[in-house]
Amino acid sequence: MRVWKTEAQKDFIINAIWKHHKLTFSILVTFWWAIFASFPVFYATSFWWAYLVWMAILFLFIAQSVSFEYRKKENNFLWQKTYDIFLLLNWFLVPLLLWVAVGTFFTWSKFIIETSNLVNWFGDNIHIASWTTSTYWLEALWNTFNGWFILNIALWLALAFLVQILALLYVIHHVKDKAIVDNAHKCLLPKSIIFLVVFLIFVFKLMTITWFAYDSSNMTIVMEKYKYLHNLLDSSVIYSLFMWGTFLVLLWIWLWLFAKSRNGFWFSWAGTFFVVLSVFLLAWFNGTSFYPSLSDLQSSLTIQNASSSHYTLIVMSYVSLMLPFVLMYIIWAWNVIAWKQMTKTDLNKWLEKY
């Protein structure tokens, strides 16, 4: 089921969401810059040997920007239909590739860390990590061992439907067009049901899985049953974030399903942020390997062995003091862009349309 029924409605929706793309892309770039500075070993392992996935994500973002910009330009040599196909592929492939990238935090990879190369800058082999399979990252996508493929599929479907749900909620919140909003409401119910089911499957599998843990007593990686469940119960902060995020997600479903409120958009974003943050914290803290290796258990990356030098971390700690201001700027920018509902009259006043 599509939100738009006519070409004019599709153009209206695309113009309504395009102005947020640049802000979202800037946030993503800033996030990965922070990852590179804080965890260079992870960056070297992931981005060097699985660069095809990251390059594909980058080119898809570039294709998205170009498609938005040129789909309505006169005399464009690829025609509007081609750019619309690019946008369709982008909305399908980006969640898929992000699932491939992020999913390795909750599955595994096959690599070996050469610790001697961390200080060997002039030798014949200066690679910090080496992959033990010719498929590099792709072997983690489907593995029947320990039911990890269930975790993979559930995460992919949860990401795919979450992206669509957030987009629909934004349309309901920001677009002032009864036909479009009614269509968006009709699309939300089945997508929300599927999302809740696959998300619950993901959470259940995550909490019951045997996972890679860091034993600080002898500084080795061991396997621990119910590791993620232990992490959740051991940290009141992560537990609170997860429960509050889940509550806000359920609240926005109630707001649009029963109260028909357009304010569910803000609760959905807040709930999504808290849930995603808590899941990442589960994978990174409390002696958990956030980037496990199945080829060599002791090559699995943790905060202890993958973080930057002491000096770099001190610098990053000072930089992190700016995060509240960055967060306030993001909230302010989104509020300015999305507070007033967009009408067709507003669109007609634009000098440049997409």
Side-chain angles (χ1 to χ4, degrees), residues 166-206:
L166 292 176
L168 289 170
L169 287 170
Y170 174 75
V171 169
I172 293 173
H173 172 82
H174 189 58
V175 172
K176 194 172 184 179
D177 185 287
K178 187 177 185 304
I180 293 177
V181 171
D182 288 344
N183 291 335
H185 274 293
K186 293 176 183 177
C187 294
L188 266 174
L189 181 58
K191 294 181 186 297
S192 298
I193 293 174
I194 296 175
F195 166 73
L196 287 176
V197 170
V198 295
F199 180 71
L200 289 175
I201 293 173
F202 169 74
V203 171
F204 174 79
K205 185 60 182 176
L206 190 67

Side-chain angles (χ1 to χ4, degrees), residues 217-233:
S217 61
N218 54 15
M219 294 186 293
T220 58
I221 303 295
V222 297
M223 302 302 292
E224 180 180 333
K225 196 172 183 180
Y226 305 124
K227 175 58 180 172
Y228 281 110
L229 180 60
H230 295 161
N231 289 356
L232 183 66
L233 298 178

